[in-house]
Amino acid sequence: EADIYQTPRYLVIGTGKKITLECSQTMGHDKMYWYQQDPGMELHLIHYSYGVNSTEKGDLSSESTVSRIRTEHFPLTLESARPSHTSQYLCASTPSGDTQYFGPGTRLTVL
Amino acid sequence: DQQVKQNSPSLSVQEGRISILNCDYTNSMFDYFLWYKKYPAEGPTFLISISSIKDKNEDGRFTVFLNKSAKHLSLHIVPSQPGDSAVYFCAARAQTGANNLFFGTGTRLTVIP
């Protein structure tokens, strides 16, 4: 099982602030993903990466951006947070494209 | 349009009995299916998976059944324990593109002691 870490676990922030959600994994997995989940809803893919310097947008349109400068690190940034960005953000990685392993998530609230 | 559906938002089962969670999908290109367990404010924890070339996979108390013709899979938990109480998500992987997972909306399982 992958060791995958997300910080912060909880974030409450005002509208217009820039935020970065951190995601790191220690298993050397090439493929990493960001999902967004609203309460009672399914997870939706917003970004993914096949490896260093590779980033793609997912199925759900998102105003966030990501970067992949190192294999183990896949941060997500919102330049100007809005209340509509309030959600849970989940990072995942996989060694092979089969089973994905998730971090604990960041619950973001934008006031 | 949702490609993975869990039509039962909740299920209550007595401790020691069998829990059966169901999932339907629409995309015939899905080739790998997974079940995750999730507690509030935590990330999903992988439980069990099955490839589309199989119809059953068992791991301890957990068994997943796949019926490709019906585009249906189910998770059986026997015997159910109070610690199994959580939200269970069904997920399916697409063969192409990002290999990302498509998730259902989850079923909240409550195991009553």
Side-chain angles (χ1 to χ4, degrees):
Chain A
E1 187 168 325
D3 290 326
I4 183 163
Y5 308 96
Q6 289 186 246
T7 57
R9 292 292 310 278
Y10 302 91
L11 180 61
V12 180
I13 201 162
T15 296
K17 299 290 187 182
K18 177 180 179 179
I19 59 169
T20 297
L21 308 184
E22 302 287 350
C23 175
S24 295
Q25 49 94 6
T26 60
M27 302 303 288
H29 294 171
D30 285 328
K31 293 184 178 179
M32 296 188 73
Y33 305 82
W34 275 102
Y35 292 86
Q36 183 176 341
Q37 186 197 19
D38 293 325
M41 303 295 288
E42 67 267 41
L43 284 72
H44 286 287
L45 181 72
I46 51 174
H47 297 284
Y48 63 96
S49 169
Y50 287 139
V52 172
N53 294 325
S54 152
T55 61
E56 301 287 345
K57 288 191 177 293
D59 303 320
L60 182 68
S61 176
S62 173
E63 294 167 347
S64 58
T65 59
V66 292
S67 62
R68 191 88 183 276
I69 299 171
R70 302 197 315 267
T71 298
E72 63 271 20
H73 196 212
F74 191 39
L76 180 146
T77 299
L78 276 166
E79 290 293 332
S80 179
R82 294 206 302 269
S84 61
H85 297 139
T86 295
S87 189
Q88 186 178 35
Y89 293 83
L90 293 156
C91 181
S93 71
T94 178
S96 61
D98 293 338
T99 303
Q100 292 183 19
Y101 298 96
F102 284 82
T106 295
R107 185 167 294 278
L108 172 66
T109 301
V110 183
L111 303 175
Chain B
D1 187 32
Q2 200 172 352
Q3 300 185 55
V4 178
K5 298 180 183 179
Q6 293 177 258
N7 293 318
S8 298
S10 63
L11 174 68
S12 291
V13 171
Q14 208 71 32
E15 181 179 3
R17 299 290 189 104
I18 183 171
S19 295
I20 300 176
L21 296 99
N22 294 303
C23 178
D24 297 295
Y25 62 95
T26 58
N27 190 340
S28 58
M29 296 298 289
F30 290 148
D31 67 341
Y32 192 72
F33 302 88
L34 308 91
W35 284 94
Y36 286 87
K37 177 180 177 180
K38 187 178 185 295
Y39 295 110
E42 293 187 12
T45 301
F46 169 71
L47 270 179
I48 192 169
S49 61
I50 187 167
S51 166
S52 60
I53 62 173
K54 295 186 176 181
D55 55 18
K56 177 183 174 182
N57 189 27
E58 191 172 351
D59 184 3
R61 296 186 298 115
F62 301 92
T63 303
V64 56
F65 296 91
L66 175 62
N67 183 334
K68 282 182 292 183
S69 60
K71 293 190 175 67
H72 177 84
L73 68 156
S74 61
L75 174 68
H76 292 209
I77 306 173
V78 183
S80 301
Q81 299 173 355
D84 295 330
S85 297
V87 178
Y88 288 78
F89 286 92
C90 168
R93 185 192 70 175
Q95 289 182 21
T96 58
N99 290 141
N100 59 290
L101 299 179
F102 292 84
F103 284 82
T105 51
T107 296
R108 180 177 300 279
L109 173 66
T110 302
V111 180
I112 303 163

